[in-house]
Amino acid sequence: MSIFSSIIAREIPADIVFESERIIAFRDIAPRAPLHLLVVPKTEAYANVVELAAGDPALLAEMVAVGRELAAEHADGDFRLIFNTGANAGQSVFHVHAHVLAGGLSEGSLGQE
Ligand code: 5GP
């Protein structure tokens, strides 16, 4: 079971800001921006965004829509959506998730804050 599945099952605590039938979102434990949320599908069938895009593109679209809604609710609506894909790109949890970063981002940066 992934660490995110443990959060979904309420086995470990998290600051959950959104939940629907197929998606959960909570604050990253080590925030890199004033707003740093993780948007996570409840299924752990997909290790990364490439697998998710191939296997369930509608769920990926749902994640993007949730990210947009949360950036509007918790910041000014503008946001950076990051999918680290592979260990060499910084992925440490192999249960697909989107980082939503917003609020006071440095201009022009492509990396996490
Ligand atoms: P990745 O490095 O795989 O792209 O992102 C994993 C993210 O999960 C990291 O930003 C890390 O801080 C976050 N994270 C890891 N464990 C936990 C946890 O137990 N709770 C929360 N809220 N975030 C976590």
Side-chain angles (χ1 to χ4, degrees):
M1 191 189 251
S2 77
I3 185 109
F4 295 157
S5 291
S6 300
I7 288 173
I8 292 160
R10 305 311 201 262
E11 289 169 7
I12 62 170
D15 187 352
I16 295 168
V17 296
F18 174 87
E19 187 165 19
S20 66
E21 193 187 333
R22 299 219 289 168
I23 290 174
I24 194 165
F26 46 88
R27 290 184 194 278
D28 196 291
I29 204 167
R32 272 90 146 185
L35 180 71
H36 186 171
L37 303 176
L38 299 173
V39 178
V40 185
K42 289 184 174 175
T43 175
E44 58 175 42
Y46 308 105
N48 60 53
V49 68
V50 176
E51 290 185 11
L52 177 62
D56 193 343
L59 183 54
L60 174 57
E62 242 179 278
M63 290 172 68
V64 173
V66 168
R68 181 205 52 179
E69 281 166 25
L70 293 173
E73 186 182 333
H74 295 273
D76 67 5
D78 291 348
F79 63 105
R80 193 169 290 155
L81 193 64
I82 294 174
F83 291 89
N84 293 328
T85 306
N88 291 336
Q91 187 175 6
S92 59
V93 179
F94 294 87
H95 174 158
V96 64
H97 54 281
H99 296 257
V100 173
L101 301 171
L105 300 174
S106 57
E107 253 178 70
S109 166
L110 283 176
Q112 293 185 18
E113 295 304 297

